[in-house]
Amino acid sequence: MKINSTNPKVDEFLSKVKKWQEEFVTLRNIALDCDLTEELKWRLPCYTSENRNIVVIQGFKEYCALMFFKGALLKDPSGILSRPGENSQAQRQVRFSSVQEIAGMERIIKDYIYEAVEVEKAGLEVPLKTTVEYNTPDELQAKFDELPALKTAFEALTPGRQRAYILYFSQPKQSKTRHSRIEKYMQQILDGKGLND
């Protein structure tokens, strides 16, 4: 697909967007002005450079966002980047609530996009925490001690699946809730499946 051209799949997606449609179109035009290739990935408009993901446009209840896949590596001189979630390591978002806000920041947004492209060209990677750097909840460790097969199955999961379980099991304040979550997902772990599989 030619750079700067719109993708028919994204055209179709945008025709169905109810909330943030005008904002999405404005962000789309900015991304295309930066010589990015438009694709539809994860059911969202995604913009790539040399087949590498640079940014994706997202819509939420309170705001829409331009999410940079390796935003943690951007300098952020304007202080506009935020983490999508508390456990986000690499991604960063710029959040918007109006077309006017986007239009007023167009030059800054383009500068960030160009920097993100350079980060990709340089082959830079965000140093991610490994699974062993997360604290295993005591309740999960007790289950591992009780059922070595569970520990073996858990360790066979991909690092991302392991992290998802550890974060999910660690969230509740009460031990009994952590324990019940572990009980509920034991068979799924033994079956080699992730939290959302």
Side-chain angles (χ1 to χ4, degrees):
M1 177 167 290
K2 182 172 86 55
I3 291 179
N4 278 1
S5 67
T6 58
N7 184 314
K9 291 179 182 176
V10 176
D11 290 335
E12 182 182 346
F13 168 84
L14 290 172
S15 74
K16 296 176 183 174
V17 170
K18 292 184 177 32
K19 189 169 185 173
W20 308 115
Q21 186 178 45
E22 206 177 333
E23 288 81 1
F24 273 36
V25 170
T26 305
L27 288 168
R28 171 196 213 185
N29 291 334
I30 291 171
L32 290 173
D33 277 352
C34 294
D35 294 326
L36 297 179
T37 302
E38 182 173 74
E39 301 179 44
L40 190 70
K41 294 184 177 183
W42 310 284
R43 296 190 293 268
L44 293 170
C46 181
Y47 298 86
T48 64
S49 176
E50 298 176 8
N51 296 319
R52 293 185 177 152
N53 297 325
I54 304 297
V55 292
V56 68
I57 300 172
Q58 305 170 307
F60 299 92
K61 188 175 178 181
E62 304 293 326
Y63 58 88
C64 67
L66 191 63
M67 196 272 296
F68 290 84
F69 287 90
K70 293 184 180 176
L73 297 176
L74 301 181
K75 293 181 182 76
D76 195 19
S78 299
I80 58 173
L81 295 176
S82 58
R83 288 177 180 245
E86 66 180 75
N87 296 309
S88 299
Q89 295 184 65
Q91 301 89 358
R92 296 292 184 271
Q93 293 176 331
V94 183
R95 298 175 180 171
F96 308 98
S97 56
S98 71
V99 172
Q100 296 75 20
E101 188 179 3
I102 296 167
M105 293 178 63
E106 182 173 348
R107 182 72 256 151
I108 294 168
I109 296 167
K110 285 183 175 181
D111 288 344
Y112 278 58
I113 290 173
Y114 290 132
E115 183 185 355
V117 169
E118 290 306 313
V119 162
E120 276 302 335
K121 282 183 182 174
L124 302 178
E125 295 293 334
V126 177
L128 302 175
K129 280 175 72 174
T130 62
T131 304
V132 296
E133 292 178 81
Y134 290 93
N135 292 328
T136 302
D138 293 339
E139 296 80 2
L140 183 59
Q141 188 58 55
K143 275 292 172 198
F144 287 162
D145 295 343
E146 182 184 324
L147 298 167
L150 181 66
K151 182 175 184 178
T152 302
F154 185 83
E155 289 173 347
L157 295 171
T158 63
R161 286 185 170 125
Q162 291 177 23
R163 271 192 306 279
Y165 277 123
I166 288 173
L167 293 171
Y168 181 69
F169 295 155
S170 299
Q171 282 174 342
K173 290 187 169 98
Q174 294 187 354
S175 178
K176 70 177 187 178
T177 309
R178 290 191 296 272
H179 182 74
S180 70
R181 283 187 178 188
I182 293 164
E183 288 289 330
K184 181 179 175 183
Y185 283 96
M186 277 177 41
Q187 190 57 53
Q188 199 155 320
I189 293 169
L190 290 166
D191 292 342
K193 295 181 178 176
L195 188 64
N196 300 310
D197 292 347

